[in-house]
Amino acid sequence: NFRQLLRRNGLSEQEFFAIERQSMTRQVIAQPLTTQAVVPDTLVELIWKHRTEQRDATYFELTLPDDAKQPSDADLKTLYDGNPDAFREPERRTIAVVALTPGAIMSGVDVSEDELKRQYEATQKQLASSETRTVLQIPFSTEADAEAAAAKIKAGASFEDIAKEQGKTEADISLGTVAKSAIPDPAVAEAAFALADGAVSEPVNGRFSTVLLKATIVGKNTARPLDDMRDELMAAVRIVKARGQLLDLHDKFEDARASGASLAEAASEIGIKVATVGPVALDGTDKTGKAVIVPGHASTLATAFTTEIGLEISPLTDGDDGFTWLETLDISESSVPPFNEIKNKVAERWKSREAASATRNKAEELVAKLKSGTPIADLASAEAVGITTVTGLRRNEARTDFSTADLAALFSVAEDGKTFSIANDGRSAKIIASTPVLGTGFNPDSEEAKAIRQALET
């Protein structure tokens, strides 16, 4: 086993021991220098302040009208020639995939009526076991005491009245809302789940004492006739039987490949169709940007981008969920398309850049006015928009109305600073006025401080 492991890693025994010897030497040198590392409280406090600093922010949204000028062909060509990588198409591959999964073969699996009935019975047991009830239990010293209490209840006393006579509260007598399997005493469990909703039992001889029970049904699963469940039961049995056939079909496929069969021929031997996928990029999209469905194992596409055309590789396995064979059929290298093919795309980028530039210029102008003393409410009024105030903002706690980019802008200025944050599309921006928040003092013994110190020590 040792030698096989070395071979798989491309190592000789001598190389392995040389590497280990070097590693041990490094540890001997490094450990005395690092095991007694002391983290200064000053550093812990700085990081703590950075993490816990809070600010309030008052802001308004600025959105410029979409009235950018139309670009000329010369504008577009200049953008295209100056930024070729912005328009580069990624490498794309076309692959053949054989996904041997339970779902792929289950339609050909036969299911007998007896198998269907057994599945139905198992399903009904599962439904019964998942019913939940709120169970109350009053224990008695003797069976006679329990029978006397039961007689009082039949005469008109309530279950709760009997509990009060014994000095017990509802919390004292409650077993909680439980499934049948959660009650450890079998006799008590059977009796509690045999009661009608809200009914009180006769005395039950439990494992430790005689008890009276009251049960309220919380979650009840109603049994359905077999014919109503036939399709879903059939699918459940088929999927289990299909999983049992996977290894045999895997071996049959591998035998066919070993004898010289192509991927398609071997797939035909086990009744699976070959799926041709692509051209698709590593991010799973086609040339139009739409997501491409890649069948089989989750890493099928990533694996395809590590193989050469026509190379036969071992199947990817999901255990009980099957095997995936793949073969790279074609590779389209990364390239920049000709200008005329993507002229519309270049125009969209040009307009987006112009809009972002105009938004930034306007935002900088407004922030300059803020810094010179113009109230933010006056600026918002001039832009015909309202202002919003958010409180208790922290660096790493984005909100739906205050994004990560907004937080980065807010905390990049002084506590009472003025700034702006441009939206991802470049067509709108937040004009922000920051307000400091008085925080709590640093406590080196707090849990957060201890966690910071431990991370730094590591």
Side-chain angles (χ1 to χ4, degrees):
N1 286 338
F2 175 55
R3 288 179 181 135
Q4 288 175 1
L5 183 62
L6 291 177
R7 278 198 296 272
R8 284 201 295 271
N9 286 276
L11 293 171
S12 68
E13 188 170 324
Q14 291 76 16
E15 288 172 325
F16 171 76
F17 283 117
I19 291 170
E20 287 299 300
R21 193 174 293 110
Q22 290 174 348
S23 175
M24 291 176 182
T25 302
R26 282 194 296 271
Q27 289 177 24
V28 168
I29 294 170
Q31 283 180 351
L33 301 175
T34 59
T35 53
Q36 297 300 320
V38 177
V39 179
D41 284 345
T42 305
L43 178 57
V44 177
E45 183 175 0
L46 284 170
I47 294 176
W48 178 86
K49 285 182 177 178
H50 186 271
R51 286 187 181 179
T52 60
E53 181 186 0
Q54 291 188 41
R55 295 189 184 184
D56 296 343
T58 301
Y59 70 90
F60 65 88
E61 297 270 2
L62 166 71
T63 303
L64 296 184
D66 188 12
D67 57 359
K69 66 176 183 178
Q70 293 301 311
S72 66
D73 283 357
D75 291 331
L76 298 183
K77 194 68 169 64
T78 299
L79 178 60
Y80 172 84
D81 292 338
N83 302 272
D85 286 340
F87 305 104
R88 180 176 294 278
E89 289 290 326
E91 176 185 325
R92 288 190 170 86
R93 298 196 172 201
T94 302
I95 59 175
V97 181
V98 176
L100 173 58
T101 64
I105 62 174
M106 63 181 290
S107 61
V109 174
D110 294 326
V111 178
S112 68
E113 194 65 21
D114 286 342
E115 289 173 322
L116 206 60
K117 289 178 179 177
R118 285 197 293 273
Q119 181 67 25
Y120 177 73
E121 290 167 1
T123 302
Q124 296 312 304
K125 288 180 181 178
Q126 186 177 3
L127 285 174
S129 67
S130 63
E131 179 182 324
T132 56
R133 296 186 173 203
T134 300
V135 180
L136 303 179
Q137 171 185 277
I138 304 175
F140 295 90
S141 302
T142 66
E143 189 172 342
D145 290 341
E147 289 175 348
K152 287 183 180 180
I153 292 173
K154 289 176 182 176
S158 71
F159 189 87
E160 290 74 15
D161 290 339
I162 301 298
K164 288 177 182 176
E165 287 180 7
Q166 295 191 359
K168 291 181 170 65
T169 65
E170 186 168 333
D172 296 329
I173 62 174
S174 176
L175 299 182
T177 300
V178 293
K180 186 176 181 180
S181 59
I183 300 177
D185 190 325
V188 172
E190 286 294 334
F193 276 77
L195 290 170
D197 189 19
V200 177
S201 72
E202 294 294 329
V204 177
N205 291 317
R207 185 180 296 170
F208 303 108
S209 61
T210 301
V211 301
L212 289 181
L213 300 167
K214 180 180 179 181
T216 304
I217 298 174
V218 176
K220 184 173 178 62
N221 293 289
T222 306
R224 293 160 55 197
L226 186 149
D227 285 342
D228 285 357
M229 301 179 65
R230 184 171 291 273
D231 289 345
E232 57 194 89
L233 293 172
M234 188 78 73
V237 176
R238 278 178 170 163
I239 206 77
V240 171
K241 294 184 73 174
R243 283 196 173 98
Q245 297 178 11
L246 289 177
L247 283 177
D248 289 340
L249 292 173
H250 164 274
D251 293 345
K252 189 174 181 180
F253 184 97
E254 288 291 310
D255 289 344
R257 288 288 270 168
S259 65
S262 66
L263 194 74
E265 291 167 342
S268 178
E269 288 287 322
I270 61 172
I272 301 289
K273 291 184 178 180
V274 177
T276 301
V277 180
V280 58
L282 184 57
D283 66 358
T285 58
D286 63 13
K287 289 184 178 180
T288 65
K290 293 182 179 178
V292 175
I293 296 174
V294 182
H297 195 278
S299 65
T300 296
L301 185 58
T303 303
F305 272 77
T306 66
T307 64
E308 299 301 322
I309 293 176
L311 182 66
E312 183 177 337
I313 63 171
S314 299
L316 306 173
T317 178
D318 281 315
D320 287 346
D321 286 327
F323 302 89
T324 303
W325 292 269
L326 64 98
E327 184 178 308
T328 300
L329 303 178
D330 184 58
I331 299 175
S332 300
E333 299 291 345
S334 173
S335 63
V336 179
F339 172 73
N340 290 333
E341 286 185 14
I342 58 168
K343 186 175 178 180
N344 290 339
K345 185 177 179 180
V346 179
E348 289 175 8
R349 182 173 289 271
W350 188 93
K351 290 178 182 178
S352 178
R353 285 178 54 159
E354 287 294 304
S357 177
T359 301
R360 176 173 291 277
N361 291 338
K362 181 67 174 179
E364 289 175 346
E365 175 189 326
L366 292 173
V367 169
K369 291 181 179 179
L370 265 184
K371 290 179 178 179
S372 67
T374 305
I376 192 169
D378 292 352
L379 293 177
S381 177
E383 297 296 328
V385 294
I387 61 173
T388 303
T389 298
V390 288
T391 60
L393 295 168
R394 290 193 179 193
R395 294 176 191 274
N396 300 318
E397 297 178 4
R399 306 182 184 185
T400 54
D401 58 344
F402 218 82
S403 68
T404 302
D406 298 335
L407 288 172
L410 175 66
F411 283 92
S412 69
V413 296
E415 290 181 335
D416 58 352
K418 312 298 186 291
T419 187
F420 65 90
S421 172
I422 296 182
N424 288 335
D425 62 4
R427 298 181 183 278
S428 64
K430 280 186 175 73
I431 309 302
I432 305 168
S434 171
T435 305
V437 176
L438 182 63
T440 57
F442 173 64
N443 178 6
D445 296 321
S446 67
E447 291 302 316
E448 189 162 12
K450 289 177 181 177
I452 292 170
R453 179 176 283 103
Q454 183 177 6
L456 290 171
E457 286 173 351
T458 302

